[in-house]
Amino acid sequence: MTMMKIKQLATAILLPLTFLLLSLPMSSQDKKLFTLEDLNFGGNNYYNLQPQNKWYTWWGDELVRTDVEECYLVNKKTGKETLLFTLDDVNNWLGSDDTHHVRALYGATFPYPEQSVVALGNVKSFLLLDFKSHEVVWQDSISGQTANDWNETSRATAYVEDNQLFVLDAKGLKHQLSRDGSREIVYGQSVHRNEFGIEKGTFWSPDGQRLAFYRMDQSMVKDYPQVDIFPREATYEPDKYPMAGMTSHTVMVGIYDLKTDRTVYLQTPVLNDTAIPVDGSPAYNIPVYFTNIAWSPDGKTVYMFELNRDQNDCRLVSYDATTGKRLKELYREQSDKYVEPMNPIQFLPWDADQFVMQSQRDGYNHLYLYNKEGKLLRQLTSGPWVVQKVLGFNSKKKTIIIEANQYHPLHRQLYSVSIANGKMAQLTTADGVHHGTLSASGNYVLDRHSAPTQPRNISIVSTSSGSTPSPTVSGVSDTGKTTLLLQAGDPWQDYQQPIFECGTIKAADGVTDLFYRMVKPHDFDPQKKYPTVVYVYGGPHAHNVEASWHWYSRSWETYMAQKGYIIFILDNRGSEYRGRDFEQATFRQLGQIEMQDQMKGVDYLRTLPYIDMERLGVHGWSFGGFMTISLMLNYPDVFKVGVAGGPVIDWKWYEVMYGERYMDTPQQNPEGYEKTSLINKAGQLKGRLQIITGYNDNTVVPQHCLSFLDACIKAGTHPDFFAYPGEEHNMRGHASVHLHERITRYFEDYLK
């Protein structure tokens, strides 16, 4: 699809839906008003105002609905449900010992397609229960341990206890894999601060006989001095926090063999010194980041992507799982900016000699078919759009099932892609955002869908069906092979609802389309002038606007619109799902291109007669907090009030992996760090600025906020400051309600 066609589709989709939303009748005066407790996670009424939902899990190709107290088998053609068992049944089968009873069936899974076995967790153990014979067929006794990773084939469990890594085998024998584990030597847990798609630290082979695991030595990393203020005498609780340009941790990958009870470590290239040269010497390209671990189908070979510290040289390498020997470099990708592997390779279920790899090498994240020798067989997908997620394979049809925004940048559809020739079939056609979960064979996908005016639909879709794009707004696919399980009503129907709109403006380059959302009061009057708040994030791996319910609006925006504000949200260059060049436009100068684009949004607001430009505010959190203060300081005569949460102030205080990917090191890019730092701009503050942080933030450490306050004291400017004791980067529970009330009050006091 050409970019011109995408733009034409954007107009065709956005304008009718915007008109539809604008044409809805005003809410009557007797409708309810929202409270922050209603809208905010942690509030007492929050769940009652969420769209109706149901929970499902696959049992092979059979679909089971799980509830608190029942499990039902779902007929895939009719949607009719048949009771399998109840919570009372399960606990009766387990006997009279209450400590071993199951509390709910929400988390039930069915790991064996040909067996009537349900996997359940309770207070004391994880167990397999045959719901036809009513017998426990297997159980362990380590439920609740850290990094608990169970393999359904071998029934072995990897877990961390007292900093040591263990494996409990199917017979209940405990194998200790480490003995030097500590706060500084970390086993079996996520490394590299969860960058590069890393979410855990243990990886079972397909047969469950071998375990790959991370070992992270962070003894050389400096501590950040966090403090717990709640004991009578405050206690020191430091975090290991490697800052950009400073010494980072080192990682090894171990392979434990359950049959031999032995561990080998992969023979990855080793640095002679933990300090990485930054002068272009050959040692600089030695990999220090190991990510996206994958296994060959026979469990004999381990594959992973390896990156140098500069993150511009990425290699896919294979290792012998028996000896740890480095076998072969299968693929290499280099960049003058950065390469960011986010997904492991996936072998074809029907051909153990071929695998699919994801890469942005042509400018957009797409699929490539390779053989295990590293030969490129074909590019499977291409075009100015992004493969957003791989759901799995349909072995019978020899296709791969994906989520992608081929149809439109704000819409996510499900597709099947032929491995033989790359031909794509669109499985869903309803406008909006679709998220799928594939059955064991890949013949069916459970589709969770929402659209700007539709809170939630849940359907079963056959992956053997497909169609050419034929958009509808009904909320139901028209392929003819879809079974609708749920079409949720509007949970806000008894409340006064704001008006949600979506549109496009040009970026500061004059060429690129940027998408925005605008939220207006329910009784919006174009003859009036409204105080307006720009809500901003703007950073990598995030987006704020999509074609889901209410255009992906945050609940706080509804609360502010109810109080008489207009909220404007723009996805600038640097945000996700628009391709490599769109994302990498901000390289080495975070905040600069983003501000230029956000100011184009401000220019658009100036053209709207109902926007009061004398009452313009800005708010954001984390990267958005950095953007909020950046805009307040660089455009002090534009933004009158700002609220910045958990803000980065200077990227030299941010962590190594993220910071150096986008900014390089402070040694390599002193001009960029100087230009983006907010410390030396503290004297430019004119408006009212409130800075909020979690007192124990371990993501954007408090050094950022406190250093900025110090700079403001020296410069004679006066921001306001508020800290949440005991909270980290994001407020939890009722603290979140308090936070959003505080943000709202600040705008009420100084902007409205």
Side-chain angles (χ1 to χ4, degrees):
M1 184 180 293
T2 66
M3 186 57 68
M4 180 60 71
K5 289 182 178 179
I6 287 178
K7 292 177 180 177
Q8 291 171 347
L9 277 171
T11 303
I13 297 163
L14 298 176
L15 289 181
L17 283 172
T18 299
F19 177 78
L20 176 63
L21 289 167
L22 284 169
S23 64
L24 292 174
M26 293 290 184
S27 300
S28 61
Q29 292 303 312
D30 60 350
K31 288 199 171 185
K32 302 176 185 176
L33 296 176
F34 292 102
T35 68
L36 275 177
E37 292 277 350
D38 294 332
L39 295 167
N40 204 269
F41 183 76
N44 295 329
N45 199 36
Y46 174 78
Y47 289 105
N48 295 329
L49 290 174
Q50 296 305 296
Q52 182 187 358
N53 201 1
K54 293 182 179 181
W55 288 264
Y56 298 90
T57 186
W58 287 107
W59 173 21
D61 270 2
E62 299 298 332
L63 188 66
V64 177
R65 181 167 75 85
T66 61
D67 208 329
V68 176
E69 296 188 351
E70 296 94 15
C71 282
Y72 298 89
L73 185 66
V74 181
N75 185 302
K76 296 189 294 296
K77 292 184 179 180
T78 66
K80 182 179 178 180
E81 297 180 348
T82 303
L83 182 67
L84 283 178
F85 51 83
T86 70
L87 182 63
D88 286 343
D89 291 336
V90 167
N91 286 325
N92 286 335
W93 300 334
L94 291 176
S96 59
D97 185 357
D98 186 61
T99 61
H100 287 81
H101 278 194
V102 175
R103 303 299 188 227
L105 297 178
Y106 271 127
T109 60
F110 298 78
Y112 308 112
E114 306 303 323
Q115 300 178 39
S116 55
V117 171
V118 58
L120 298 164
N122 60 25
V123 175
K124 295 292 185 180
S125 66
F126 174 76
L127 57 88
L128 300 177
L129 177 67
D130 189 317
F131 55 84
K132 289 187 177 178
S133 68
H134 308 164
E135 296 175 342
V136 175
V137 298
W138 179 88
Q139 72 181 98
D140 67 24
S141 58
I142 56 171
S143 180
Q145 294 288 356
T146 302
N148 201 329
D149 187 3
W150 178 72
N151 181 268
E152 61 192 39
T153 304
S154 67
R155 296 183 181 175
T157 305
Y159 65 98
V160 175
E161 182 178 48
D162 296 329
N163 296 312
Q164 308 302 339
L165 179 61
F166 295 89
V167 166
L168 189 74
D169 65 26
K171 297 179 180 180
L173 296 177
K174 189 174 180 179
H175 306 260
Q176 186 166 349
L177 278 59
S178 69
R179 298 193 181 275
D180 61 340
S182 66
R183 175 176 169 267
E184 298 191 330
I185 308 295
V186 179
Y187 284 93
Q189 299 182 59
S190 180
V191 299
H192 304 323
R193 296 189 64 83
N194 295 81
E195 298 293 336
F196 317 108
I198 297 172
E199 296 178 350
K200 61 175 189 167
T202 55
F203 311 87
W204 283 107
S205 62
D207 62 1
Q209 295 301 318
R210 291 192 174 106
L211 177 76
F213 62 88
Y214 282 128
R215 177 189 188 273
M216 176 173 63
D217 181 354
Q218 55 181 359
S219 60
M220 69 291 290
V221 177
K222 296 292 186 181
D223 283 332
Y224 185 85
Q226 300 279 11
V227 175
D228 181 359
I229 61 129
F230 292 106
R232 173 65 178 84
E233 294 181 345
T235 58
Y236 180 54
E237 293 189 353
D239 289 327
K240 290 291 184 180
Y241 195 94
M243 292 185 178
M246 302 183 73
T247 301
S248 186
H249 56 246
T250 60
V251 168
M252 300 170 63
V253 177
I255 307 295
Y256 172 73
D257 192 314
L258 193 58
K259 292 180 179 178
T260 64
D261 199 27
R262 292 182 61 249
T263 296
V264 299
Y265 281 88
L266 301 187
Q267 297 171 19
T268 55
V270 178
L271 293 171
N272 294 323
D273 194 293
T274 55
I276 310 298
V278 293
D279 57 1
S281 64
Y284 191 60
N285 285 326
I286 293 178
V288 295
Y289 300 130
F290 305 109
T291 185
N292 299 302
I293 293 173
W295 285 92
S296 61
D298 62 8
K300 295 180 179 179
T301 310
V302 174
Y303 301 82
M304 67 182 180
F305 287 100
E306 303 179 349
L307 258 73
N308 62 328
R309 180 157 173 176
D310 210 28
Q311 301 182 48
N312 59 11
D313 191 353
C314 174
R315 308 166 195 240
L316 174 63
V317 181
S318 61
Y319 288 88
D320 187 310
T322 304
T323 65
K325 181 181 178 181
R326 187 181 180 94
L327 296 176
K328 188 173 184 178
E329 180 181 306
L330 290 90
Y331 173 77
R332 185 176 185 182
E333 185 174 337
Q334 295 175 291
S335 170
D336 59 354
K337 293 182 178 177
Y338 56 86
V339 183
E340 190 178 8
M342 293 293 291
N343 302 281
I345 63 171
Q346 295 172 278
F347 278 86
L348 304 184
W350 59 88
D351 189 341
D353 291 332
Q354 297 181 10
F355 63 83
V356 173
M357 184 188 77
Q358 298 185 50
S359 171
Q360 290 198 106
R361 57 193 277 181
D362 76 344
Y364 296 85
N365 191 54
H366 282 301
L367 307 181
Y368 298 82
L369 183 67
Y370 280 83
N371 67 19
K372 65 180 183 180
E373 299 304 316
K375 179 182 178 182
L376 175 63
L377 302 179
R378 69 186 65 90
Q379 183 172 347
L380 296 175
T381 61
S382 62
W385 50 274
V386 174
V387 174
Q388 293 162 294
K389 187 177 182 180
V390 172
L391 302 182
F393 297 91
N394 183 321
S395 297
K396 181 179 180 181
K397 294 291 183 179
K398 292 184 169 52
T399 56
I400 186 168
I401 312 303
I402 65 171
E403 299 173 3
N405 62 359
Q406 182 193 39
Y407 168 50
H408 183 274
L410 298 188
H411 292 244
R412 180 186 292 226
Q413 301 283 353
L414 306 183
Y415 301 85
S416 65
V417 181
S418 168
I419 296 295
N421 56 26
K423 183 178 179 180
M424 293 178 63
Q426 188 170 323
L427 302 174
T428 53
T429 57
D431 281 347
V433 174
H434 297 259
H435 296 279
T437 306
L438 205 60
S439 68
S441 71
N443 289 327
Y444 302 95
V445 62
L446 183 72
D447 172 33
R448 292 182 174 271
H449 160 253
S450 76
T453 58
Q454 176 57 41
R456 178 177 286 123
N457 297 316
I458 304 177
S459 304
I460 303 173
V461 180
S462 169
T463 62
S464 299
S465 66
S467 69
T468 55
S470 176
T472 70
V473 293
S474 65
V476 182
S477 171
D478 62 4
T479 63
K481 294 192 176 182
T482 294
T483 303
L484 181 65
L485 303 178
L486 171 68
Q487 189 165 20
D490 185 354
W492 292 9
Q493 62 182 348
D494 294 331
Y495 290 78
Q496 291 181 348
Q497 298 187 34
I499 300 166
F500 300 94
E501 298 177 2
C502 182
T504 63
I505 65 168
K506 291 297 180 184
D509 64 4
V511 177
T512 307
D513 283 332
L514 304 177
F515 296 96
Y516 70 81
R517 174 176 68 252
M518 186 176 289
V519 184
K520 298 176 178 177
H522 76 280
D523 56 354
F524 171 73
D525 181 350
Q527 303 304 314
K528 294 183 178 179
K529 282 189 175 291
Y530 291 86
T532 301
V533 176
V534 173
Y535 175 77
V536 60
Y537 182 79
H541 292 298
H543 66 285
N544 277 319
V545 187
E546 68 176 29
S548 58
W549 192 40
H550 295 161
W551 296 104
Y552 203 41
S553 179
R554 300 166 64 251
S555 57
W556 177 77
E557 298 164 20
T558 291
Y559 189 64
M560 290 294 282
Q562 181 176 274
K563 287 184 169 293
Y565 295 84
I566 288 176
I567 309 297
F568 181 79
I569 304 95
L570 177 72
D571 277 338
N572 51 246
R573 284 173 292 168
S575 53
E576 65 183 352
Y577 299 148
R578 297 291 303 277
R580 181 193 63 203
D581 294 343
F582 187 94
E583 295 168 6
Q584 296 189 354
T586 64
F587 181 61
R588 292 186 117 224
Q589 52 173 345
L590 288 179
Q592 307 307 298
I593 295 294
E594 299 94 319
M595 280 194 290
Q596 293 175 25
D597 286 352
Q598 290 294 329
M599 292 309 294
K600 286 298 179 181
V602 171
D603 289 344
Y604 169 67
L605 294 177
R606 292 183 196 279
T607 68
L608 305 177
Y610 47 81
I611 301 294
D612 187 346
M613 292 303 296
E614 297 301 314
R615 292 187 292 169
L616 187 64
V618 59
H619 167 51
W621 198 271
S622 194
F623 197 101
F626 164 68
M627 287 294 297
T628 294
I629 301 179
S630 295
L631 289 165
M632 288 285 292
L633 300 182
N634 285 278
Y635 302 93
D637 295 320
V638 175
F639 297 97
K640 303 301 185 275
V641 179
V643 179
V648 172
I649 296 297
D650 192 310
W651 290 101
K652 70 173 177 287
W653 293 316
Y654 201 66
E655 53 98 342
V656 165
M657 298 84 197
Y658 184 106
E660 293 182 4
R661 178 186 312 132
Y662 303 118
M663 289 290 292
D664 282 333
T665 66
Q667 299 94 321
Q668 294 168 302
N669 183 23
E671 298 86 0
Y673 277 82
E674 177 71 14
K675 180 168 60 174
T676 60
S677 174
L678 304 179
I679 292 294
N680 56 12
K681 299 183 179 69
Q684 297 172 205
L685 179 64
K686 286 187 178 180
R688 295 300 303 241
L689 171 63
Q690 178 174 232
I691 300 170
I692 304 175
T693 189
Y695 183 80
N696 297 97
D697 193 333
N698 55 9
T699 301
V700 182
V701 293
Q703 186 172 3
H704 288 269
C705 293
L706 298 176
S707 297
F708 185 71
L709 294 179
D710 178 66
C712 289
I713 293 168
K714 293 173 181 175
T717 52
H718 295 271
D720 296 312
F721 180 66
F722 193 88
Y724 283 86
E727 295 292 333
E728 298 180 352
H729 191 53
N730 296 294
M731 307 309 113
R732 298 161 293 183
H734 193 74
S736 179
V737 179
H738 185 277
L739 166 68
H740 286 91
E741 179 61 33
R742 182 161 191 88
I743 295 168
T744 303
R745 285 189 181 191
Y746 203 76
F747 287 114
E748 289 280 270
D749 289 344
Y750 298 112
L751 186 65
K752 194 172 184 181

